Amino acid sequence: MDCGTCETPDSVQVVTPEVVNVNLTISSKAQEMLGNAFGDDRSMALLVGVLSGGCSGYVYDLQIVESTDQSCQEVVIDGFKVLIPNASSHLLDGIEIDYVDRLMGGGFRINNPNAESSCGCGESFA
Amino acid sequence: MPRVAYDDSALTVWQGSDALKFIDGLSSNKMLDMVKGELCQTVFTSSQAKIIDLATVFHMGDFLAVHSHRSKLTALLNHVTPRILNQDVAILDVTSRNQFCIEYDCSNSVVGRFELKDDITYGYVAEGFSLLIASVDVECTCVGGIIEFNEWRIENQIPWNGYEISEKQHPLSAGLAHLVHPNKGCYIGQEILARMISRGRQGKILLRIENGDIDDKFVTTHGEKYSLAIIRDTRQ
């Protein structure tokens, strides 16, 4: 098998979507819950990213971080710093970060106008 | 053992620390436990659980070599590349550097591994056949005919790309149920396949039938006396 890894064969062309300036909103309930999570320390940021996987092809990736190596755009809403990786910005423009208060299946939830479909758990979308 | 050329082959190299997780998240078989020297087949499926392509993944240590099909490579890459996003995955197409053939009617004692013999990589895909990949510079003789190979496939009920394995079928109807892992997390098409399995309703199944027993339109591989066909399972 010649894997060409000793040389540099051409990479498969990956179409990189254009970076979009993301507009997003955070519901009042989500802001309350973020306030509980962050406390008074607003130096941390909420990273809202997208990974491949899940029943529908993409899954949301929410993390509280100090910083990240990813190329991100920063949005500040009511003192909360939100980081959006540029690589997934085209999938996240217009989202609302919400919080669903339920014993089962509760937690942060993304309402995404770009999603054609999403799976039952709400973590995956297409 | 007889060999037959496997011209509708594609070979891509998937590099990066997220490559294995990436394939695992988009296909039907469990890949995360793979280690260097192992191979595993998996099926990339659409949101309707239809087959995009069957892939044979070779764990090479630092990277993965993925055998798929030339006729479906564009569809496969269109499916996966938009989902790389900011993950550490890079894909190289090395198809033109290699030649491919199938050695069949084997009795492979080890399945799911590969080894290098005389500059040819022998991938022990199943007990009965191996996938051979070699650089185009290496002598690798594949003189067998497709008719004999198809007769062997019919005898052993082995589905093949372009015959049973097509974008019209889902893995269960195409005879690839063994590549749908029952205990793995979500991937595209998983909900539909899981529902079919749990309800015992997969619609169509792959069968070996005697010629003339059923309408020709259901036949996927024609043989001299017997054929392979995908038909609705009347027991359901």
Side-chain angles (χ1 to χ4, degrees):
Chain A
M1 187 188 299
D2 181 354
C3 295
T5 47
C6 301
E7 303 153 41
T8 49
D10 291 338
S11 292
V12 164
Q13 191 68 37
V14 176
V15 179
T16 310
E18 216 169 292
V19 175
V20 174
N21 286 325
V22 172
N23 288 303
L24 63 87
T25 54
I26 306 177
S27 72
S28 53
K29 185 66 184 171
Q31 285 192 31
E32 183 189 329
M33 300 312 291
L34 281 175
N36 292 343
F38 280 92
D40 294 330
D41 183 5
R42 297 296 159 94
S43 64
M44 307 289 271
L46 177 68
L47 176 72
V48 183
V50 176
L51 301 172
S52 65
C55 310
S56 302
Y58 295 111
V59 285
Y60 297 111
D61 179 34
L62 261 64
Q63 298 176 48
I64 293 176
V65 297
E66 280 183 43
S67 61
T68 177
D69 295 335
Q70 300 177 51
S71 168
C72 286
Q73 47 190 282
E74 184 179 312
V75 181
V76 178
I77 298 175
D78 288 329
F80 294 108
K81 194 158 62 174
V82 182
L83 298 175
I84 308 285
N86 284 325
S88 43
S89 61
H90 62 293
L91 298 167
L92 295 170
D93 186 29
I95 60 168
E96 180 199 37
I97 302 172
D98 193 12
Y99 187 90
V100 178
D101 201 356
R102 273 207 304 254
L103 281 178
M104 286 184 71
F108 286 100
R109 188 159 286 244
I110 307 285
N111 297 319
N112 190 341
N114 306 296
E116 291 171 16
S117 62
S118 57
C119 84
C121 65
E123 287 180 19
S124 177
F125 71 100
Chain B
M1 256 87 67
R3 286 182 183 179
V4 62
Y6 197 0
D7 293 332
D8 187 25
S9 288
L11 189 69
T12 45
V13 167
W14 300 41
Q15 297 173 314
S17 56
D18 295 326
L20 194 59
K21 196 174 113 194
F22 183 65
I23 294 179
D24 185 82
L26 289 173
S27 65
S28 65
N29 210 349
K30 199 168 188 177
M31 316 296 291
L32 290 176
D33 299 334
M34 283 183 79
V35 296
K36 184 180 178 181
E38 288 184 345
L39 69 78
C40 188
Q41 288 198 301
T42 192
V43 186
F44 289 88
T45 46
S46 69
S47 56
Q48 298 304 311
K50 301 292 187 191
I51 297 170
I52 294 171
D53 203 0
L54 164 67
T56 307
V57 179
F58 295 74
H59 197 309
M60 309 297 288
D62 295 337
F63 61 90
L64 307 171
V66 179
H67 175 274
S68 58
H69 298 95
R70 200 177 297 217
S71 57
K72 293 176 177 169
L73 186 59
T74 303
L76 178 64
L77 294 175
N78 287 343
H79 179 67
V80 300
T81 56
R83 294 179 165 86
I84 293 176
L85 299 172
N86 45 0
Q87 293 168 103
D88 183 16
V89 180
I91 303 174
L92 315 172
D93 184 357
V94 293
T95 306
S96 61
R97 294 164 172 257
N98 291 281
Q99 54 186 318
F100 309 86
C101 74
I102 294 294
E103 191 170 87
Y104 63 98
D105 207 9
C106 318
S107 307
N108 292 332
S109 55
V110 177
V111 171
R113 297 197 65 83
F114 62 91
E115 64 179 336
L116 192 64
K117 286 193 292 189
D118 301 326
D119 293 327
I120 299 171
T121 301
Y122 284 70
Y124 304 118
V125 177
E127 199 182 318
F129 73 95
S130 307
L131 168 59
L132 277 52
I133 306 177
S135 165
V136 289
D137 303 330
V138 172
E139 193 175 333
C140 179
T141 313
C142 303
V143 292
I146 193 70
I147 295 172
E148 294 79 10
F149 176 58
N150 281 345
E151 286 293 344
W152 176 81
R153 284 202 306 108
I154 293 166
E155 179 68 29
N156 293 279
Q157 221 170 303
I158 307 285
W160 212 252
N161 185 59
Y163 295 85
E164 292 73 32
I165 302 172
S166 79
E167 66 280 359
K168 292 177 185 166
Q169 305 297 336
H170 53 74
L172 306 177
S173 64
L176 300 174
H178 60 292
L179 303 182
V180 178
H181 200 283
N183 300 320
K184 71 170 283 186
C186 299
Y187 56 89
I188 300 175
Q190 183 256 355
E191 283 183 329
I192 293 174
L193 294 173
R195 205 179 306 139
M196 286 178 180
I197 292 168
S198 67
R199 293 179 183 175
R201 288 176 178 272
Q202 64 181 63
K204 297 174 182 170
I205 53 170
L206 175 65
L207 283 179
R208 174 176 173 265
I209 48 106
E210 196 162 355
N211 288 349
D213 273 3
I214 61 161
D215 194 322
D216 224 32
K217 69 181 179 188
F218 299 113
V219 173
T220 49
T221 305
H222 287 272
E224 199 179 323
K225 284 185 179 169
Y226 294 90
S227 294
L228 290 180
I230 295 177
I231 57 171
R232 192 158 292 283
D233 186 357
T234 53
R235 292 165 303 180
Q236 293 173 18

